[in-house]
Amino acid sequence: MNHIILIAHGRLALEMKNSAQMLYGELPNFHAIEFLAEEGLDNLQEKISKKLEALKSPVLIFADLFCGTPFNASCAVSMKNPTSSIEIISGMSLPLVLEAAVLNNSGKSLNEISKSLISMASETVRIFEQDQNQDEEDLL
């Protein structure tokens, strides 16, 4: 099974994992890496490298922001390890983290998981409209 690293500014990654576990159950193959205000790019790259060395298996890195420091550090570490099986995507959200858990347990490859997450990303952001097909009573 693949490992999934959640990486984000502040403590978002740890809390994202905690929230996902609240809804999904234990996620032993999910790992959170925090990027705190007092840390720099080099420190974050070191954290990522150590985690990858410990896991020694295919890894999906799920970063919070495209081109943010967690994403950039992940890309830099991946480029230094061209033989490692690493996929990196940005736009981490709770619906997508939960979907990653489901997909990871389905036996799909990292690439299949990444493509599925990207294709369903637009479905996870919705706007409430009063005239939706549901009755108001369904929401109460």
Side-chain angles (χ1 to χ4, degrees), residues 48-60:
I48 296 166
S49 293
K50 284 182 181 178
K51 182 56 77 177
L52 290 173
E53 287 173 23
L55 297 176
K56 295 183 180 161
S57 67
V59 174
L60 169 65

Side-chain angles (χ1 to χ4, degrees), residues 1-6 17-18 20-22 24-32 51 54-55 57-59 97 100-102 104-105:
M1 187 177 300
N2 305 308
H3 285 273
I4 297 176
I5 296 174
L6 307 176
K17 180 181 176 188
N18 289 338
Q21 289 184 134
M22 184 176 162
Y24 186 86
E26 285 300 311
L27 294 168
N29 290 358
F30 279 59
H31 313 274
K51 182 56 77 177
L55 297 176
S57 67
V59 174
V97 169
V102 171
N104 198 38
N105 283 331

Side-chain angles (χ1 to χ4, degrees), residues 20-80:
Q21 289 184 134
M22 184 176 162
L23 297 165
Y24 186 86
E26 285 300 311
L27 294 168
N29 290 358
F30 279 59
H31 313 274
I33 296 179
E34 298 173 338
F35 174 54
L36 304 177
E38 63 273 7
E39 297 177 318
L41 179 67
D42 292 339
N43 181 260
L44 187 55
Q45 286 180 11
E46 186 177 323
K47 283 181 173 182
I48 296 166
S49 293
K50 284 182 181 178
K51 182 56 77 177
L52 290 173
E53 287 173 23
L55 297 176
K56 295 183 180 161
S57 67
V59 174
L60 169 65
I61 298 176
F62 212 157
D64 57 351
L65 296 171
F66 179 71
C67 286
T69 303
F71 180 84
N72 292 343
S74 299
C75 293
V77 170
S78 179
M79 289 188 304
K80 291 176 187 173

Side-chain angles (χ1 to χ4, degrees), residues 78-122:
S78 179
M79 289 188 304
K80 291 176 187 173
N81 297 285
T83 60
S84 296
S85 182
I86 302 169
E87 292 268 336
I88 304 166
I89 60 175
S90 64
M92 179 174 59
S93 68
L94 186 55
L96 292 177
V97 169
L98 290 168
E99 192 61 37
V102 171
L103 293 168
N104 198 38
N105 283 331
S106 72
K108 293 187 181 244
S109 71
L110 282 179
N111 190 261
E112 291 171 318
I113 292 171
S114 295
K115 285 181 179 180
S116 292
L117 291 172
I118 296 299
S119 71
M120 63 183 51
S122 64

